[in-house]
Structure formats: structure tokens, C-alpha cells
Amino acid sequence: MTALTLSTAAAPGLRADAIVIGVAKGAKGPVVAPGAEALDKAYDGRLAAVLETLGASGGEGEVTKLPAPAGFKTPLVVAVGLGAEPDSGAEFGAEALRRAAGVAARALAGSKKAAFALPLADAADAGAVAEGALLGAYSFDAYKEGAKNGKGGKAPLAEVALLGGKPRDKAYKAAVERATAVVEELNRARDLVNTPPNDLNPESFAAVAQAAAKEHGIKVQVLDEKALTKGGYGGILGVGAGSAAGPRLVKLSYTSSKAKKHLAFVGKGITYDSGGISLKPAGHNETMKCDMSGAAAVFAAVVAAARLGLEVNVTGWLALAENMPSGSATRPGDVLRMYSGKTVEVLNTDAEGRLVLADALWAASQEKPDAIVDVATLTGAMVLALGNRTFGVMANDDAFRAAIVDASAEVGEASWPMPLPEHLRKGMDSPTADIANMGERMGGGLVAGLFLREFVGEGITWAHLDIAGPAFNEQGPFGYTPKGGTGSAVRTLVRLAELTAEGDLG
């Protein structure tokens, strides 16, 4: 991953391939942001005018390149748009800094070192810029032969120096260390999401989790087919029945001797979703390697919590299966007996995520955590409702739902509170089993949430994050978000763990 340092060096004397500055959109044209004073001075105070001449407006995501002035050891200036200029006395928001840093890092792919002179009012800003730069520099090249011999496109920006970063200040140092730990794990989640399904199946995913757990002192337990059968995990087994690659349930336990609370995170991990017997049509299955994004997010969040040494116990449950059609696959009309003992009539084998989550939710409930949060690329209905960049949040507690939405906003992940209308529950009544895995088509995302609620232990606070929209970006990169796997929900889960450790959540 891109190396990152805090630097007190003066901008003119720093050796780098480029210096990154911020430019905001002012009422009368572009405005040079704090951090670029030395550069503006070298342009005789006319840097904003020069940028405007070059077509810069300061709009978010805009990149303008120009030669560095005489006296600077960096040959290139990269001016990146921060969006609207803050009101008088106000600072730039953390998300504006993250996005600008991400855009700049991506624009500088192929460079060895860049100095970032973006506005840093405090340590939190340093953390935001660090996070954005490291996220934006991400690249997934594991399967590109050219990347191995240096002939296949540009390598990610190798090093970032944050100017004005106060390397001896404990708060600044802690902010950058946190950003590095979180982004390294988030990028690991991105790698998993981007890995093709012929190389990532439940068994190999479990192996990755086992290796990371060993490295970071996390207790890990893996239930294979034999253990799942013995335990009665009918949902996970039913979904994985059609695949030659057997299912797994992975439990990751990070514990702190100072913890007063226990959080459980549950992730949907369908390493490839063909739809099963209810087969997806062409045009809807090409990106279904991403259907394990929820499990990747949970895995990354638990490891990040361990690396940060958070004073909260965090358990991650990865419900892993491959949903394939075959002579042994679950059929529409089959009835599965779940780990909870409830029976489910399977009306659609492509509504499989809720089946593996149901078993994992019930398993998590047996430990009586203070709260459970599940994360899943669960429904196309949520994408229709909220688009490709926003995840839906449902919960059995309105205050907890609001806290999650607030936490996601704080870290720069777009989310929206969604209801669990009781009248939709009746649509899942089954004449054969306790419940069906399908209900009314309209409000399908909410129906899925109601189904999951049936498998949460009594009295346990629970929330469901449907990340079907933002988990995988099929369009072009934007801000610090790449094309492909995004690592959606990782930062929200980590922030929830931090808030719980600090006593500010529940």
C-alpha cells in the first residue's frame, strides 16, 4: 500500500514528483485553499487567477495540473477541487478533504512521491486527508500480467507526504495511524470483493480470515460442512448444497480486557451467486462475485478493531456459501430447518442471502451481545430505492438506527434510514413452513429486513445494512472510490465499534 508520512518540510524545498493543493469554488471564481500559501506567494499572489485561466473552478473532483514555479524542487502542481468555499470562519469538511485527496492520489498514479498541501486545521483533518489519499491510491492488479513486469499501466502512487502534519504531535500521529490501519483493512476487503470466484470460495475465504486472525491475535473458529450439519445450520447448508465448494461459517472474536460492551457483526458471504435453481439471467450475473461484500466488510472491521486496540469486544460472523444450480441444489418449494429451529419454505433460491444470514444471526444471538449489525448485498429493491451510492439501514430500535446513520455520515458513507412496516410480514406466511423466504414484491428490501428480524434473539438490539448499491462500483471511479469493490460499510462498522468503546453508543 502507499506509504504515508507527516512532514514539516517547507513546500519549496521538498523533493517530490508533485505538490497537491486545494482550490475551492468561490462566489467570484476559484479560491486557493489554506496550505498553498508558499505556492501562491511564488506566483505573486496570482495562483487563483492562473488556475482560472486554465479552466479551474474549484468544483469537487476537478483536477488542474500546471508547472511548479521557480524555486520549487517539485516540477508539478496538482490543484484539486474541494467544492464550495466554506462560510467565513468555517473549515473544510472532512469528507471534502477525503474526496479531494483521493482524486489527487488517483491522478498521480505512476508517481513515486507526492506532497499533499491540503488544508489541515487539526489532527482530524490530517486523518481525513490520509484516509482519502490511501483509499484513492488503491489499485487491484493481481491478475494483470503487465503489472508484474511494469508494462501494464501505471502503478499506484508510492508515497504521500502530508505537509503541515506535525509528526511529533500525538494527536496527528494517532490520526494517521488510525487512517492507515482502517484503510489497509478496507483495501483488503476490496481485494476480496474483486477476486474472481474461481479463486475465492468459502474455503479459501475462511483461510484468508484464519491467516489474518493469527497475525492480529484474533480467535477464529471455522465450521465446515460436517460441523454445520452436526449443528443444524440448515440455511447455510441449503444455500451451499448445489456447489462443489462447501459452505463455511467463520467466527472471528476480538476481545479487550477493558471492554464493557460486546458487538456482533454478521456478514453475508456468497462468494458467487448464480441464483441457484432460480437462475439469474445473462446481464445480471457477471458481477456476482461481489455478493460476499458484507462478509468482507465484517472481516475487515474486526481486524481493524483489533489493530486499533479498541476497548470493546467485537465478534464477526462470516456466513460463506456459493449459490449454484445442480442436482443437489435446493429447489423452489423445499423447506429448510434453520439453526434456530424455525422452518423456511424456499420460494426463490435467488433470495439466498437472508437464509445464510438467518443462521448466523441466530448463532450470534446465543452470545447475548449488546447489539448485532448485519451487512449484506441483499436486495436489488434497495438499489432501486436508494441508488448505487447509498445503503439502507433498518433496525428494531429507532435510536440505534439513527446512531448508525449518524456514524456513517461522520465517516463519509452515505446511508438512509428505512422502516420495517409490520403489514409486510404477512406476505411471508407459508402454508407449509413457519415462514417463506419471499413476500410482497413491492418493498422487497423491507421484506428482507423483516425476514432477518425473525432470527434475532429476543431483547437484542439489531440493525441491518443493505449495501447492495454501493458495495460494487460498475461505473467510473469518483472521489476516493475505485471501480469494482468499494469496501462499503467497513468504516461505519469501525466507527460503531469506536463509539461503543468510548461509551457513546448504547
Side-chain angles (χ1 to χ4, degrees):
M1 193 173 84
T2 302
L4 193 144
T5 58
L6 293 165
S7 177
T8 56
L14 187 68
R15 294 187 182 276
D17 295 311
I19 182 168
V20 176
I21 63 168
V23 55
K25 194 170 187 176
K28 298 181 179 180
V31 177
V32 177
E37 289 82 2
L39 196 61
D40 191 32
K41 183 178 180 180
Y43 277 98
D44 296 325
R46 292 184 49 78
L47 179 54
V50 171
L51 289 170
E52 187 171 24
T53 300
L54 293 173
S57 68
E60 182 182 318
E62 185 181 78
V63 174
T64 307
K65 296 181 179 180
L66 63 159
F72 275 70
K73 294 183 178 180
T74 52
L76 180 68
V77 175
V78 176
V80 60
L82 288 161
E85 181 184 20
D87 294 335
S88 179
E91 308 291 347
F92 287 94
E95 183 63 4
L97 295 176
R98 279 191 208 98
R99 292 179 180 177
V103 168
R106 190 170 60 255
L108 288 167
S111 301
K112 292 183 178 180
K113 182 177 181 179
F116 278 53
L118 293 172
L120 299 183
D122 53 26
D125 285 351
V129 172
E131 197 173 275
L134 295 177
L135 288 170
Y138 173 82
S139 178
F140 184 72
D141 300 317
Y143 292 83
K144 294 181 179 178
E145 190 62 28
K148 301 175 183 177
N149 56 32
K151 298 179 181 178
K154 297 179 179 179
L157 173 62
E159 183 181 351
V160 170
L162 296 189
L163 301 188
K166 302 181 182 179
R168 296 184 180 181
D169 186 290
K170 290 183 178 179
Y172 277 78
K173 186 177 179 181
V176 169
E177 288 176 349
R178 178 196 180 277
T180 300
V182 172
V183 174
E184 283 182 352
E185 297 312 319
L186 189 152
N187 283 344
R188 194 207 301 257
R190 287 173 168 178
D191 284 349
L192 286 167
V193 176
N194 288 325
T195 300
N198 58 321
D199 279 347
L200 187 73
N201 59 34
E203 183 178 1
S204 58
F205 193 148
V208 171
Q210 286 175 304
K214 182 178 181 181
E215 180 183 356
H216 297 289
I218 299 168
K219 185 178 179 181
V220 62
Q221 179 184 10
V222 179
L223 300 185
D224 59 13
E225 299 102 309
K226 185 177 179 180
L228 291 168
T229 300
K230 184 178 180 180
Y233 291 85
I236 296 174
L237 288 166
V239 172
S243 175
R248 297 289 187 273
L249 179 61
V250 179
K251 178 185 176 184
L252 297 164
S253 302
Y254 161 67
T255 57
S256 167
S257 60
K258 298 180 180 179
K260 295 181 180 179
K261 296 283 187 178
H262 176 198
L263 290 178
F265 296 150
V266 176
K268 172 189 172 183
I270 305 300
T271 56
Y272 181 74
D273 181 20
S274 70
I277 297 297
S278 305
L279 193 66
K280 293 179 184 290
H284 292 78
N285 55 13
E286 293 81 358
T287 61
M288 282 298 102
K289 65 180 182 180
C290 78
D291 215 20
M292 37 59 69
S293 297
V298 166
F299 166 48
V302 175
V303 178
R307 291 183 60 175
L308 295 172
L310 301 183
E311 295 178 3
V312 58
N313 294 335
V314 183
T315 305
W317 299 84
L318 317 181
L320 308 176
E322 186 178 57
N323 187 24
M324 296 291 285
S326 74
S328 61
T330 294
R331 298 159 290 254
D334 282 355
V335 173
L336 304 177
R337 186 170 295 278
M338 312 296 282
Y339 181 55
S340 68
K342 285 185 179 181
T343 55
V344 176
E345 182 181 11
V346 179
L347 299 180
N348 187 330
T349 64
D350 196 23
E352 85 299 328
R354 64 199 70 183
L355 298 175
V356 300
L357 286 174
D359 276 354
L361 283 168
W362 190 253
S365 295
Q366 304 317 296
E367 296 189 341
K368 305 294 184 185
D370 293 286
I372 299 175
V373 180
D374 77 69
V375 187
T377 47
L378 205 61
T379 66
M382 196 58 61
V383 185
L384 290 173
L386 299 178
N388 292 318
R389 298 190 183 184
T390 305
F391 62 78
V393 183
M394 286 153 268
N396 61 3
D397 181 284
D398 289 349
F400 189 53
R401 182 183 62 184
I404 291 175
V405 171
D406 289 345
S408 71
E410 184 181 349
V411 299
E413 295 198 292
S415 70
W416 195 259
M418 301 294 284
L420 290 172
E422 294 297 336
H423 70 274
L424 291 176
R425 169 61 183 84
K426 185 174 177 56
M428 290 184 283
D429 286 349
S430 165
T432 309
D434 294 319
I435 190 172
N437 77 328
M438 293 290 289
E440 294 183 29
R441 183 184 176 198
M442 299 303 169
L446 312 182
V447 170
L450 287 165
F451 179 90
L452 295 178
R453 190 181 66 177
E454 298 278 325
F455 298 90
V456 177
E458 186 176 354
I460 298 176
T461 301
W462 157 80
H464 162 56
L465 278 53
D466 190 337
I467 61 170
F472 196 83
N473 176 25
E474 296 186 58
Q475 300 169 355
F478 58 93
Y480 47 76
T481 302
K483 186 172 183 177
T486 64
S488 178
V490 172
R491 291 179 293 148
T492 296
L493 294 180
V494 173
R495 188 60 188 139
L496 286 174
E498 288 175 326
L499 290 168
T500 303
E502 295 162 4
D504 294 331
L505 189 69

